[in-house]
Amino acid sequence: MSKRILIVGNWKMHLNASQASVLLHRLHERIKIHRAIEVVLAPSMLVLQPLSMQLDRRKFRLAAQNAYHKDEGAFTGEVSFSMLQDLVHYVIIGHSERRLHFEEGLEVVRDKVASAVRNGITPLLCVGETGQERHAGETKQVLHDQITTALSNLTADEIEEVVIAYEPVWAISTFEGEIAKPDDVGLSLKFIRKQVAELYGEKTAKALRLLYGGSVDDQIVRGYLELEDCDGVLVGGASLNYHKFAGIVDVAYQLSQERGDGDDNNT
Ligand code: PEP
């Protein structure tokens, strides 16, 4: 069986505790357990704890949207990776909204990735070029710099556990929201895997999971999931709509069945 298809919903700064609980309840009703698919929800920090009590762990895992790289100390307002250890499997790191609105640079992202791994949490590392960088022909350079720095404090074995999400900033719905062509996405994903292979070896590059993110919904997700190097998707806006998000999981399930990775043990 090949890798499980990973579907991550990033709820961003939406949904208070009761709204999040209602959405989770609807998703529980609508989404079945599929062994070939892993579904991860990234609600706000405040909502992680209550959702963890409501969650069916056979169906969903939790991700935090951010954390601070120091384990504890006088850092008012921050939450550390060590505090999240028992609550989440994943943490989103390097999202373009954090890079742009909160000025998180390459070194900050690197320290957060290392802290996540040290605390046993899988980083969902987001990389991707802005529209301006794309037009200037700098996509590969940007990806190279973001990847090499972010992974630089990890061993090859640790990198096998990392998930990298290619999210071109111009394709994210809250920025320009341009729909990226699957062929172009495929080239960038291939480039990312090649970079990792050159730096850390073929075995590591092969094991690494690569996601695509940028205005993905149930209507267009198939084009990305069919790409050779795409192991799943990171979904923003559409993850707040349970029809669309469950529809994305349905498409992933169909695809896994066609590939012979699926199972009929869903409930
Ligand atoms: C995101 O912010 O990670 C994202 C992919 O958003 P959207 O799906 O809304 O473009």
Side-chain angles (χ1 to χ4, degrees):
M1 181 169 144
S2 52
K3 293 175 209 163
R4 295 173 84 194
I5 299 175
L6 180 56
I7 312 282
V8 184
N10 176 11
W11 293 355
K12 308 195 182 186
M13 200 176 72
H14 295 288
L15 310 182
N16 62 25
S18 54
Q19 292 164 331
S21 169
V22 170
L23 178 55
L24 180 61
H25 179 72
R26 292 201 167 127
L27 292 172
H28 266 311
E29 286 186 331
R30 176 66 175 70
I31 291 178
K32 295 178 175 161
I33 299 168
H34 302 305
R35 261 191 294 173
I37 300 164
E38 181 178 352
V39 184
V40 175
L41 304 173
S44 79
M45 194 70 90
L46 186 68
V47 166
L48 281 170
Q49 184 80 52
L51 277 204
S52 77
M53 322 272 260
Q54 188 189 337
L55 198 81
D56 180 344
R57 285 179 173 67
R58 295 167 306 163
K59 286 192 187 178
F60 303 107
R61 284 179 159 174
L62 288 176
Q65 296 176 17
N66 183 36
Y68 190 61
H69 68 281
K70 301 264 191 196
D71 285 344
E72 61 177 3
F75 302 104
T76 302
E78 294 298 316
V79 173
S80 68
F81 289 91
S82 61
M83 290 170 172
L84 290 168
Q85 253 177 359
D86 299 328
L87 206 50
V88 301
H89 271 85
Y90 295 94
V91 180
I92 298 174
I93 300 174
H95 192 281
S96 50
E97 286 154 13
R98 295 213 60 86
R99 291 186 196 258
L100 295 171
H101 301 320
F102 301 95
E103 294 174 11
E104 289 192 2
L106 297 176
E107 283 74 24
V108 170
V109 172
R110 175 200 62 202
D111 292 346
K112 289 188 174 195
V113 167
S115 181
V117 170
R118 181 160 43 78
N119 283 288
I121 302 174
T122 301
L124 291 164
L125 168 66
C126 299
V127 298
E129 77 285 3
T130 63
Q132 210 178 2
E133 289 161 343
R134 176 193 185 204
H135 293 304
E138 294 169 358
T139 299
K140 286 186 176 172
Q141 189 60 49
V142 170
L143 293 177
H144 170 272
D145 294 349
Q146 290 179 344
I147 291 164
T148 48
T149 318
L151 302 181
S152 60
N153 284 349
L154 305 185
T155 65
D157 283 349
E158 287 169 339
I159 292 167
E160 286 187 18
E161 302 301 320
V162 173
V163 178
I164 299 183
Y166 172 56
E167 297 211 308
V169 181
W170 48 269
I172 292 183
S173 64
T174 46
F175 290 105
E176 290 149 69
E178 188 180 329
I179 303 297
K181 294 192 186 81
D183 284 352
D184 293 340
V185 170
L187 291 176
S188 290
L189 292 176
K190 205 166 274 311
F191 175 78
I192 293 170
R193 214 181 281 284
K194 194 162 143 266
Q195 283 293 299
V196 175
E198 279 168 13
L199 291 163
Y200 302 98
E202 285 292 339
K203 177 175 164 280
T204 302
K206 230 174 144 189
L208 183 83
R209 286 175 293 171
L210 298 184
L211 309 184
Y212 173 67
S215 301
V216 171
D217 66 17
D218 51 330
Q219 303 301 308
I220 61 170
V221 66
R222 193 178 175 99
Y224 303 117
L225 289 180
E226 281 177 342
L227 294 168
E228 191 188 342
D229 284 294
C230 187
D231 302 305
V233 283
L234 177 48
V235 185
S239 70
L240 294 166
N241 176 314
Y242 79 97
H243 283 298
K244 288 188 184 173
F245 193 63
I248 289 171
V249 177
D250 288 344
V251 172
Y253 179 61
Q254 279 161 17
L255 199 64
S256 69
Q257 291 279 293
E258 289 163 24
R259 288 175 180 164
D261 293 339
D263 64 82
D264 295 315
N265 292 340
N266 47 57
T267 54

